[in-house]
Amino acid sequence: MDGRLKAEMSEFDRNVNNAAEKITIKTRQGTKIRVDAIGIDKSTGNVIYRGISDTTNKSRNYKAY
């Protein structure tokens, strides 16, 4: 992880509890979603996530929504 990405993750970590990096979430329908950072917002208690990476390996089935 380069310096900019480390800085962004560090900032994210300050604003959330239970921060985790590079998580894949699988929905009930079987769709897999990759996030760079996920955690629980300290002020609201909501789960928040962020895509931080400059590049992401995308499968041939990748669709942007």
Side-chain angles (χ1 to χ4, degrees):
M1 191 181 291
D2 70 24
R4 184 189 67 78
L5 297 178
K6 283 183 185 178
E8 285 193 38
M9 186 59 198
S10 179
E11 179 184 339
F12 182 82
D13 194 39
R14 282 193 297 273
N15 297 316
V16 301
N17 291 320
N18 302 320
E21 296 179 49
K22 297 182 180 156
I23 301 297
T24 300
I25 302 165
K26 186 175 179 182
T27 67
R28 290 183 185 136
Q29 294 78 16
T31 303
K32 293 180 183 177
I33 302 164
R34 184 184 174 280
V35 297
D36 290 324
I38 192 167
I40 300 172
D41 187 294
K42 288 180 180 178
S43 62
T44 65
N46 294 330
V47 173
I48 58 173
Y49 62 92
R50 185 177 290 176
I52 296 173
S53 294
D54 290 331
T55 58
T56 304
N57 294 328
K58 296 176 180 71
S59 72
R60 59 188 162 95
N61 296 323
Y62 174 80
K63 293 181 184 177
Y65 293 97

